[in-house]
Amino acid sequence: MIGLSSTISVAFYAIATISSVSAECTRDSLLAAANSYIRAQTAGKLDSLSLATEGFTYQENNKIIDIKKGVINTPLKIDLNRSTADTVACASYTMLISTSGSKPYVLATQLTHKNDNTSSITMIDTIAATTGSLFFNAAQTLTYIRAENWTTLSESRRPSRDLLKKVGDAYLDMWTDAKAADTIPWGTDCERVEGSRLTKPCGGQLPRGGSAKNNGMRRYVIDETVGSVDVLCAFNSLGDMPDSHEIRVEDGKVKYVHTITV
């Protein structure tokens, strides 16, 4: 017969196990949180978001502001949304494109969770491009992005996390390091979308140093299952511009590059 102390120990163990499972940072839970963000931005209301009661931060265009003053309070008709998940960093990245309304928008948003617990969001970090932003034309961007293929990669085609991080950093280093461009594995059919501008192939017309200012404030979401790295940053090489660079790698080669710059 099990004693009372043993019974209590078993109960505590079961509770701890359940708690650990519920807090686990999985791809499904990260994408569920990303979907709650999409619902919030669509409605222009925060009701669908489970925000951390302590230590929550809302950052827009690289500045910490009151979430009630952010673009998230503006209801948007979303024409396209796509999210990736980083189970190591416990974070997600979402691209939203809205072409209608009083202001069109292209948004790049990272959600961050702490302690491998996706039950609450500790940071919403958004680059919000609209009319007047660099090369901005939401309708043209939508046309380019819709034509892309972002299906999940088979394991044999997936790049490593280390390669994705290196590619993301090397891309942003091209403006300060003359050799950075040559370290990037460009695909022959690569496409680069910079707002309303499309460049094919990606590996042509590249910067090779010249700036003394490094592109800083880098925040990463890396998703090997779709071969993606998104880096939010301050694009200081050409000016203090809030920026998102997303890169997809297939079979070890760069396939897509997206730039959202304010």
Side-chain angles (χ1 to χ4, degrees):
M1 183 175 179
I2 299 176
L4 179 59
S5 61
S6 297
T7 302
I8 293 173
S9 297
V10 171
F12 278 149
Y13 175 77
I15 292 171
T17 301
I18 292 171
S19 176
S20 175
V21 170
S22 66
E24 186 178 0
C25 187
T26 66
R27 182 174 178 78
D28 286 344
S29 63
L30 287 168
L31 293 178
N35 285 334
S36 74
Y37 159 72
I38 296 169
R39 291 195 298 273
Q41 186 63 79
T42 301
K45 297 180 179 179
L46 305 178
D47 302 357
S48 64
L49 295 174
S50 179
L51 305 179
T53 55
E54 294 183 5
F56 171 76
T57 302
Y58 180 80
Q59 183 162 273
E60 187 170 303
N61 293 338
N62 291 347
K63 294 181 180 180
I64 296 174
I65 63 171
D66 183 344
I67 190 173
K68 295 179 181 178
K69 297 179 180 179
V71 68
I72 195 169
N73 297 282
T74 301
L76 298 180
K77 180 183 179 298
I78 307 300
D79 297 296
L80 180 146
N81 72 80
R82 181 174 47 73
S83 298
T84 57
D86 187 334
T87 57
V88 175
C90 204
S92 64
Y93 168 70
T94 298
M95 171 190 279
L96 297 179
I97 301 177
S98 175
T99 63
S100 59
S102 58
K103 268 190 175 183
Y105 279 97
V106 178
L107 305 181
T109 298
Q110 293 183 2
L111 302 185
T112 303
H113 311 266
K114 284 187 177 179
N115 303 320
D116 285 340
N117 187 347
T118 56
S119 63
S120 65
I121 300 167
T122 54
M123 186 171 190
I124 299 177
D125 192 352
T126 295
I127 304 298
T130 188
T131 304
S133 295
L134 187 66
F135 307 143
F136 184 82
N137 183 321
Q140 191 63 64
T141 301
L142 178 64
T143 299
Y144 295 143
I145 303 302
R146 270 184 173 164
E148 296 177 351
N149 180 4
W150 277 78
T151 54
T152 300
L153 298 173
S154 62
E155 290 198 23
S156 63
R157 301 182 65 203
R158 294 178 188 176
S160 67
R161 184 178 183 85
D162 182 60
L163 175 62
L164 287 167
K165 172 74 161 47
K166 286 180 178 178
V167 168
D169 279 331
Y171 198 101
L172 291 175
D173 289 342
M174 290 192 297
W175 284 261
T176 52
D177 182 350
K179 298 180 180 179
D182 295 329
T183 69
I184 299 173
W186 304 106
T188 55
D189 60 348
C190 177
E191 300 179 2
R192 185 169 83 239
V193 176
E194 298 169 295
S196 59
R197 295 190 176 184
L198 176 66
T199 301
K200 297 172 63 175
C202 302
Q205 303 175 4
L206 298 172
R208 295 182 180 275
S211 175
K213 293 184 178 180
N214 189 46
N215 296 317
M217 285 186 70
R218 301 182 188 185
R219 296 92 77 192
Y220 307 83
V221 169
I222 298 173
D223 186 342
E224 299 96 317
T225 66
V226 293
S228 169
V229 55
D230 175 69
V231 191
L232 301 188
C233 71
F235 208 89
N236 295 317
S237 294
L238 300 178
D240 186 13
M241 297 184 289
D243 176 89
S244 169
H245 268 72
E246 182 186 31
I247 300 171
R248 172 164 161 120
V249 175
E250 300 177 359
D251 301 314
K253 302 291 185 180
V254 174
K255 174 64 176 177
Y256 300 125
V257 177
H258 300 151
T259 301
I260 302 170
T261 307
V262 178

